[in-house]
Amino acid sequence: MAERNGGAFVGGMLIGGAVGAIAGLLLAPRSGKDTRKILKKSLEALPELAEDLSDSLQLHADQLSETARRNWDETLQRLQEAIAAGIEASQTEAQRLDTEEDELLPAQEIDPSQN
């Protein structure tokens, strides 16, 4: 979770910095020619800024994906262990019931023709 918040913070800082720089340029007491030059340089830097942001987001997405995969693998392992324990417990209980039933039934067999 901290990784996700860190990525959002970095992205917010980059976007906020770009917006702040543009606002500062537009409100600065410079001539139009100077302001246009500065804006042009800022716009030229935007693709690199966007690429850095994209790389950062991709890295965080990969980390989250890996974390999700590990969590899924661990959950699947616990589920398999629980199923195996359930099967073993049901077999043990079936054997116990069979033994108990054998002890309760008389040792002689009942002739079905006597009914």
Side-chain angles (χ1 to χ4, degrees), residues 45-107:
L46 279 179
E48 185 178 329
L49 179 66
E51 184 178 342
D52 290 346
L53 180 60
S54 174
D55 291 345
S56 176
L57 290 175
Q58 183 63 46
L59 176 65
H60 287 292
D62 290 345
Q63 290 171 345
L64 288 173
S65 176
E66 178 62 24
T67 300
R69 189 193 59 76
R70 272 195 315 268
N71 287 343
W72 172 253
D73 289 345
E74 290 169 5
T75 301
L76 185 60
Q77 178 65 31
R78 286 194 312 267
L79 181 60
Q80 289 171 337
E81 290 169 1
I83 289 171
I87 290 171
E88 183 179 337
S90 67
Q91 289 172 345
T92 302
E93 183 64 15
Q95 289 173 352
R96 186 188 67 78
L97 290 174
D98 285 345
T99 303
E100 198 174 276
E101 186 178 280
D102 290 344
E103 290 172 358
L104 292 176
L105 289 177

Side-chain angles (χ1 to χ4, degrees), residues 14-30 35-36 38-40 42-43 46:
L14 293 173
I15 292 171
V19 169
I22 292 171
L25 290 172
L26 293 174
L27 298 174
R30 291 194 175 100
T35 303
R36 283 191 296 277
I38 293 171
L39 282 175
K40 183 178 179 189
S42 296
L43 288 175
L46 279 179

